[in-house]
Amino acid sequence: ILTRKMREDALELRQLVREGKDPSARREAMLAEIYNALRVLYGQPPKTFDFEYTDKDGNFVGIDVDIMAAVAADQGFKYELKSLGWDAAIAACKSKQANAMIAGASIKQDRIDSGWIFSDGYYTATQCMTVRTDSDIKGFGDLSGKAVAVKTGTMGATYAESLKDQYGFTTQAGEIAIITEAVRSGAVKGCITELCVAQSVSDNNPGEFQIIADNLSEEQIKAVANLNSTKLIEEVNKIIDEFTASDDYSALVVKWFG
């Protein structure tokens, strides 16, 4: 049903373009309808993918979770981990209900300007472009006049925005569940996301997707402390530096990202 709806939406958008009309408002409405349908069927889509998520048994798992557990075991301290979602986690840090968050956070200037304090990096994420296996898109040069999906609020979205005028494509932002369906249905021609996310989507949907451009840009993934918690970040950095040099850290990277 969802695939049929997205195909119908794609036909409607193409007709609007042929008629010389701006499809942007209608496209956003369509994405909202699809998002709400998925939310009703499957629950709220996760804000992140691979770094942390809830498994089928309700356990909170992911590389961030494993890193926190390994560091705590090595350093001999206790902690309480709460799954709050991105916005709620930021609010908890600002109000000092939480001491810090570890959630695959990327550095952005506006975040620094608003008072966020970032730790040293504990993982280097690279961006890539993914298309359907049967797609005729071979690179950015084939995207003129087409739409590309990006994950909301990520460096992949920022990277796509920096290229869209050069290559003549438009961008559509959404969460990973939405943009995966958009690529699958043909509503967009591809998506730009973190490589680990794209690999996970491809592995979970054998034969449907292919990565045609990787290592597009790199960013260091950070932990974030309470605003103005300089002392806490100094302590976190010491732990990160020691842990990322260990065999335990290397094993976790292989476990989650191959």
Side-chain angles (χ1 to χ4, degrees):
I1 294 175
L2 184 60
T3 299
R4 184 174 69 242
K5 172 175 173 44
M6 295 188 75
R7 286 173 177 165
E8 291 171 350
D9 287 349
L11 289 173
E12 181 182 338
L13 290 174
R14 291 191 186 103
Q15 183 61 35
L16 289 173
V17 172
R18 282 194 291 267
E19 294 173 357
K21 299 177 180 178
D22 184 356
S24 300
R26 182 65 183 125
R27 182 177 61 204
E28 292 301 317
M30 290 172 174
L31 288 172
E33 291 170 359
I34 293 167
Y35 180 89
N36 287 331
L38 286 170
R39 186 168 57 183
V40 169
L41 288 170
Y42 303 115
Q44 183 75 13
K47 296 291 184 183
T48 54
F49 203 79
D50 269 331
F51 289 97
E52 69 276 328
Y53 61 92
T54 303
D55 66 13
K56 64 181 181 180
D57 298 320
N59 299 313
F60 200 47
V61 296
I63 188 171
D64 283 347
V65 179
D66 282 359
I67 285 175
M68 196 69 240
V71 168
D74 181 69
Q75 298 293 319
F77 65 82
K78 295 181 180 180
Y79 66 97
E80 181 182 4
L81 188 65
K82 293 185 178 180
S83 174
L84 300 177
W86 180 264
D87 292 337
I90 292 298
C93 283
K94 286 183 176 180
S95 65
K96 297 188 178 181
Q97 295 179 19
N99 297 105
M101 62 177 282
I102 179 169
S106 57
I107 289 184
K108 292 186 177 182
Q109 190 59 47
D110 61 329
R111 294 174 178 173
I112 295 173
D113 293 342
S114 65
W116 291 27
I117 300 178
F118 292 90
S119 71
D120 291 340
Y122 60 89
Y123 181 73
T124 301
T126 59
Q127 309 301 320
C128 71
M129 181 163 68
T130 304
V131 299
R132 285 188 352 188
T133 301
D134 60 356
S135 175
D136 57 358
I137 302 295
K138 304 302 179 185
F140 285 102
D142 300 322
L143 291 173
S144 180
K146 300 184 172 59
V148 175
V150 296
K151 187 180 173 190
T152 302
T154 62
M155 291 302 294
T158 302
Y159 182 75
E161 289 295 318
S162 74
L163 293 179
K164 69 177 186 179
D165 290 339
Q166 178 182 352
Y167 291 101
F169 61 84
T170 59
T171 57
Q172 298 180 15
E175 298 302 331
I176 193 65
I178 303 298
I179 65 177
T180 299
E181 286 301 325
V183 176
R184 177 184 283 122
S185 70
V188 298
K189 289 299 182 180
C191 64
I192 296 176
T193 62
E194 291 163 346
L195 180 60
C196 60
V197 173
Q199 289 173 331
S200 183
V201 169
S202 181
D203 290 345
N204 285 297
N205 299 275
E208 291 193 58
F209 304 102
Q210 60 176 327
I211 297 169
I212 62 170
D214 57 10
N215 296 321
L216 298 178
S217 67
E218 291 186 351
E219 63 167 326
Q220 282 286 306
I221 298 302
K222 318 282 185 174
V224 180
N226 282 341
L227 274 67
N228 302 316
S229 297
T230 305
K231 182 177 179 180
L232 177 59
I233 280 294
E234 289 175 353
E235 295 173 355
V236 169
N237 284 340
K238 181 180 178 181
I239 295 171
I240 286 176
D241 291 344
E242 293 175 356
F243 183 66
T244 53
S246 70
D247 291 339
D248 288 342
Y249 171 76
S250 299
L252 287 181
V253 172
V254 172
K255 172 185 174 181
W256 289 104
F257 302 130

